[in-house]
Amino acid sequence: MDSIIPGLIDDLGRECLIRVPFYELPTATSVCRNWKYEISVPEFIRHRKAAGVVRPIIVLAQAQYEGPIQNSESDPAVKEHPSRPTYQLSVAEPKAGVWAHLPPIPGHHEGLPMFCGLIGSGSDLVVVGGWDPVTWKASNDVFMYSFLYGGWRKGADMSGVRRSFFGCAASDDDRTVLVAGGHDEDKNALSSAMLYYVEEDKWVSLPDMCRPRDECKVVFHRGKFHVISGYPTDMQGCFQRSAEVFDWSTWQWGPVIEEFLEEGSSPGLCVAGPDGRMYSCIGRRSSDVAVYQGDKWQVVAEVPADVRSSQWLGSCGDKLVVIGSPKFGEAHSGYMLDLKNYKWTKLEMPTKFSRHVQCGFVLEL
């Protein structure tokens, strides 16, 4: 086999490859077979981490207004939505100040599925379910984008009923995704849950949760999946404060934690922090960042006033990142919170990346 880089021993060649910026990795894999092989093996990401060259990458589903959709006479399922926003995927490396858009999912030129699940697993982005942006019909589709190769592939369809507004999250290291709750096509809240094994492209059903949970939030925290809040069918929109935790060792759900959330808090703003603790935005208009200590939420910082509406909260490197707007419908901006001193710094966001954030996640590459 030829050397990785002519004139260099292979150890030095690998040291060069692991320092390629994430947005240039697809180009590097297309240079030659040797580079494609070196970048594709699991050790590549481990070597990047060991060398300290991995960077947190923010992936967002952001609105892009495209005007009204004309009603189709040939397909009665197509509806007219005069001010429908479409969504596309944005990626950012905050430290380098790099922002870009990912290519659309093949066959989905009308935009990203609305209300889809967006998860990072290894070096892959996983898109689960969501609504067709034209017909507004729920889908069980699964698509994966490889940040190493720069391309999409189709995964096995999500098993079971077509569900909407479910919660989902990925485990830290074994490339497993949990999908839980949501509602079916008759708007019945669901208590069912399932695991998706990304590398095996396989779905496995789990025991039902203790309660149905529509619009719940799933967080992977300290080795366990936490399903937070949601509501049953007969209490639509009345978010519960309880949570359930899935125990891998017993393959069962633990006892319901009845008062996990603060009164009036949004479950969508719960996130596992880089320091091993869980954080959320609580209070009126989610104006405070709080950490979960023992069985209570303790406020550690005040959220900047210009990001208190339509918020998204994520864990980015050793910081938290919050993106939002001053008021509904206005341009979005972002801030990073240093968890050592609880000081905010502005996140530089180009104007064309300042639209509404529907969901997002952070992975390290």
Side-chain angles (χ1 to χ4, degrees):
M1 181 180 289
D2 296 335
S3 58
I4 297 173
I5 297 178
L8 294 179
I9 62 174
D10 281 352
D11 284 347
L12 286 179
R14 291 189 183 94
E15 287 296 314
C16 293
L17 278 185
I18 64 174
R19 285 164 170 78
V20 173
F22 86 94
Y23 49 86
E24 295 290 358
L25 288 173
T27 301
T29 58
S30 66
V31 169
C32 63
R33 291 181 180 179
N34 274 4
W35 285 23
K36 183 175 182 179
Y37 171 78
E38 291 293 335
I39 292 172
S40 65
V41 295
E43 290 80 6
F44 179 76
I45 298 296
R46 289 200 288 268
H47 288 161
R48 282 173 71 95
K49 290 181 178 179
V53 297
V54 295
R55 298 289 183 267
I57 309 301
I58 301 173
V59 184
L60 304 172
Q62 283 193 300
Q64 298 293 321
Y65 181 73
E66 295 181 357
I69 295 179
Q70 300 299 320
N71 198 28
S72 172
E73 296 179 359
S74 60
D75 185 358
V78 176
K79 300 180 180 180
E80 184 177 7
H81 306 291
S83 59
R84 174 189 62 88
T86 58
Y87 287 82
Q88 65 182 125
L89 292 164
S90 303
V91 294
E93 184 186 341
K95 188 171 183 178
V98 174
W99 288 78
H101 288 125
L102 293 182
I105 298 172
H108 287 65
H109 300 294
E110 292 291 341
L112 192 69
M114 299 175 66
F115 315 117
C116 62
L118 205 61
I119 316 110
S121 177
S123 57
D124 289 334
L125 152 65
V126 184
V127 179
V128 181
W131 292 5
D132 184 290
V134 176
T135 65
W136 285 25
K137 287 186 175 180
S139 168
N140 281 344
D141 287 342
V142 175
F143 295 94
M144 285 167 282
Y145 179 84
S146 170
F147 282 96
L148 300 183
Y149 304 118
W152 289 96
R153 67 185 187 275
K154 181 75 170 67
D157 285 356
M158 183 166 48
S159 59
V161 300
R162 294 178 183 269
R163 65 179 70 209
S164 303
F165 295 94
F166 51 83
C168 59
S171 62
D172 285 340
D173 50 13
D174 63 0
R175 305 203 66 191
T176 305
V177 174
L178 176 76
V179 171
H183 65 252
D184 63 19
E185 293 182 283
D186 294 320
K187 295 191 176 181
N188 295 309
L190 300 170
S191 59
S192 56
M194 65 195 84
L195 285 177
Y196 178 55
Y197 294 93
V198 177
E199 291 186 345
E200 299 176 36
D201 192 24
K202 180 178 68 175
W203 289 91
V204 175
S205 296
L206 296 180
D208 284 356
M209 296 181 290
C210 297
R211 297 175 185 175
R213 297 182 180 274
D214 198 359
E215 293 196 58
C216 57
K217 176 65 181 283
V218 180
V219 176
F220 188 76
H221 181 237
R222 293 183 176 175
K224 296 181 180 180
F225 285 106
H226 295 63
V227 183
I228 302 168
S229 190
Y231 49 82
T233 306
D234 59 353
M235 298 183 67
Q236 189 170 16
C238 298
F239 287 92
Q240 309 297 291
R241 297 174 60 191
S242 63
E244 300 183 42
V245 180
F246 183 71
D247 191 329
W248 292 85
S249 63
T250 62
W251 204 250
Q252 294 291 329
W253 296 94
V256 174
I257 307 170
E258 291 293 352
E259 297 184 349
F260 180 80
L261 280 183
E262 286 281 301
E263 190 74 42
S265 295
S266 169
L269 294 174
C270 291
V271 63
D275 57 1
R277 301 186 293 178
M278 193 176 297
Y279 290 84
S280 185
C281 291
I282 67 172
R284 185 174 179 271
R285 292 193 66 203
S286 303
S287 58
D288 295 310
V289 175
V291 61
Y292 193 67
Q293 299 266 51
D295 59 354
K296 294 182 179 180
W297 292 93
Q298 298 183 8
V299 174
V300 295
E302 185 178 5
V303 177
D306 53 342
V307 291
R308 291 183 184 176
S309 180
S310 304
Q311 293 167 321
W312 173 78
L313 181 69
S315 176
C316 186
D318 58 355
K319 299 176 176 64
L320 295 182
V321 56
V322 60
I323 296 175
S325 62
K327 296 180 181 178
F328 179 78
E330 296 188 0
H332 279 50
S333 57
Y335 289 87
M336 309 279 283
L337 178 65
D338 190 325
L339 296 179
K340 297 176 182 177
N341 55 24
Y342 299 116
K343 300 293 185 182
W344 294 98
T345 56
K346 186 79 170 179
L347 175 65
E348 297 301 324
M349 296 175 62
T351 301
K352 67 178 181 179
F353 294 93
S354 63
R355 298 295 183 92
H356 174 256
V357 174
Q358 183 171 277
C359 58
F361 68 90
V362 179
L363 79 164
E364 291 191 338
L365 277 179

